[in-house]
Amino acid sequence: MKLGIATVCLSGTLDDKLAAVAAAGFDGVEIFENDLVVSPWSPKQIRDRCADLGLTIDLYQPFRDFEAVPPEVLAANLRRAEHKFDVMAELGADTVLVCSSVSRDAVDDDDLAAEQLHLLADRAAERGIRIAYEALAWGRFVSTYDHSWRIVRRADHPALGLCLDSFHVLSRGSDPAGIRVIPGEKLFFVQLADAPRLRMDVLQWSRHHRLFPGQGAFDLPAFVRFVLGTGYTGPLSLEVFNDVFRQADPHRTAVDAMRSLLVLREELGLGDLPPAPPLDGYAFAEVISDDAAETVAALGFRDDGDGRWRQGGATLLLGTGDDTRIKTVGVASRSPDDSRRRAERLLAQPLPDGAVAAPDGTAVAFAAGLPAAVEDGLLTGIDHVSLTAPFDDVDQTALFYRAVLGLRAEPEAEFAAPYGLVRSLSAIDPGGRVRVAHNVAMLRRGEWAPAVPDPQHIAFTTQDAVAAARAMRAAGAKLLEIGDNYYDDLDARLAPPGLDDLRAESILYDRDDAGEYLHFYTHILGGRVFFEIVQRIGGYSGYGAVNSPVRMAAHRRLRLSSA
């Protein structure tokens, strides 16, 4: 099945967009009218450029406000259509998208709409062109796909069919199961877009907040299954309006777009991706920092003498450099070669040492197994890694880790932090051994605020948080201090057992129906990286997000006092 993308998804000139689309491996494009209008190339030159890049032009769009209008308006619309057909002939495009009208000239008359669309299809058929009629979710009279299908069926013309757009269907809460009754030959084009669940005007939602498949809340696999069940064999094409994507590097966005489609095809059982091998946990994590060794030693790690620090089942590599960051995360894969092949098929950039580069600059390495555990440690392993991405990049970064490692997205969370609302994305492997979390501010920050660019941390596991905190403090570890107000509130909310010990050791606490979570933190190293120690009791599966604002405020207070 051909994979396509609309030029409106990407930033730049039409040449920039076409080059990025081809480099990402797409088969075809939808040429958005605005991109053509501002291009210095003629339609014939655009056609030739696409051919040189190995791209087909699958759709020209949009043609707006055509149907159910008075005769004088219809005449003007038909003249406009003939001009567009001329352009399409030069482009070599044989399908045009006609949106349901939002014009004040339109009237609520399905018979008239069908009659005029039949006339348009007659004109198009004479030129070898098909009309794909799409119900805009905000259309004046036609706003649902079942309504547009009734009109197309009534018009009864072989050159007139439907364009189905997942956003227009799912944003209105329409049941996509009804797609099954549409004959596949009357589905002329299918556009895909995901989106977060928002309560807002659907037009604004569509224009600014669409996402690529797998980045939002829509059930796109179910939608596409209904489409394919009709016998549809045309392209699956992305049409995503997103303010960030339309300002970002088009090559990076196109890669993200293709990755989303490859994962969607896999979910549909149609792809040829190597399956994600099972993961046994984190084999290691690598941190670049000039001042981490003292803290790591106080946490109980032993230096093996080659930059490798070990404790229990946890292995930490320490490198030197001014740019403090988490450089590499190493996961234990049952088949490292298959993991690498999968990553490269998902367009991950290979690195010389067999790792691959994530969009956030972190390396992901695949180890053949977990290292042998060191006895008698305070820590037992790595629980999760938080690779916080900037606001503009978090959706593509989160999708990368899920896709490459075969992780399952966990419910998205939001919490009010001292410097604004924070969005929390996390994912976990099917075995529950590898967790990746991303916390990101919902909006860009100015000069004011935390002064920590994209903070990152590694969370280590322990079987006894209270004992670990005491031993680490005694060894000189610089652990984050939490104020009494938190514990007074915790007592009122949850009345946890051992509250006095939690207060004495500055251990944070959370509880849900499945279990409990105890966790504490170190100071921030190099202005960016810190460590967390966690104890999971029972089936608790979260990350203590309710306590994140407490931690953020405590880190901020510490930085102010040491400034």
Side-chain angles (χ1 to χ4, degrees), residues 149 153 162 179-188 230-232:
W149 168 232
R153 187 172 54 191
L162 287 181
I179 293 170
R180 295 175 297 179
V181 305
I182 302 171
E185 65 270 16
K186 298 303 287 184
L187 283 184
F188 285 3
T230 69
Y232 175 76

Side-chain angles (χ1 to χ4, degrees), residues 546-561:
V546 67
N547 295 322
S548 292
V550 179
R551 188 267 303 165
M552 291 177 177
H555 269 146
R556 173 65 173 173
R557 184 170 61 251
L558 180 65
R559 290 193 300 278
L560 289 174
S561 65

Side-chain angles (χ1 to χ4, degrees), residues 278-281 334 406-408 428-435:
L279 304 177
D280 291 321
R334 301 279 177 88
L407 308 183
R408 180 188 73 248
I428 188 170
D429 76 295
R433 301 180 182 93
V434 171
R435 294 178 168 93

